[in-house]
Amino acid sequence: MSKYEDLKASVQEIIDLIAAKNNREANNKLLEVSDTLDDMLDHAEEDEDLREISRYQVLLNQLHVKINGEEQVDGE
């Protein structure tokens, strides 16, 4: 389950960057983690993996809104 440990650490890094008001770096890290999730989704075979990836996608969407303000473009 180390792939999720890495994700968890990366998400924590995003949260820390937001707390430090470093939104540009937080957004860059968020995009990087989002790409990683997309790759994981492409290769996921187990339902449990799909559920876990989905949880992280929801969390990343919430962090995206936090970083970029309330307005969010449809389709992101």
Side-chain angles (χ1 to χ4, degrees):
M1 269 285 227
S2 68
K3 58 187 170 186
Y4 296 117
E5 303 274 326
D6 292 343
L7 273 177
K8 186 176 178 182
S10 294
V11 168
Q12 185 59 54
E13 187 179 339
I14 294 166
I15 293 167
D16 292 344
L17 288 165
I18 292 170
K21 305 272 190 257
N22 192 343
N23 286 352
R24 177 172 290 178
E25 283 299 313
N27 202 48
N28 289 343
K29 186 69 179 179
L30 189 143
L31 292 173
E32 179 185 312
V33 174
S34 187
D35 286 345
T36 300
L37 273 180
D38 288 344
D39 289 343
M40 290 174 72
L41 192 57
D42 288 343
H43 299 97
E45 295 177 8
E46 302 292 324
D47 285 348
E48 182 55 39
D49 286 331
L50 294 172
R51 281 193 292 276
E52 193 69 21
I53 292 166
S54 176
R55 287 185 199 112
Y56 277 99
Q57 287 176 319
V58 169
L59 179 55
L60 287 184
N61 285 337
Q62 291 170 337
L63 292 172
H64 180 272
V65 170
K66 182 108 176 123
I67 294 166
N68 297 294
E70 295 308 313
E71 69 261 15
Q72 187 172 11
V73 179
D74 285 341
E76 284 191 24

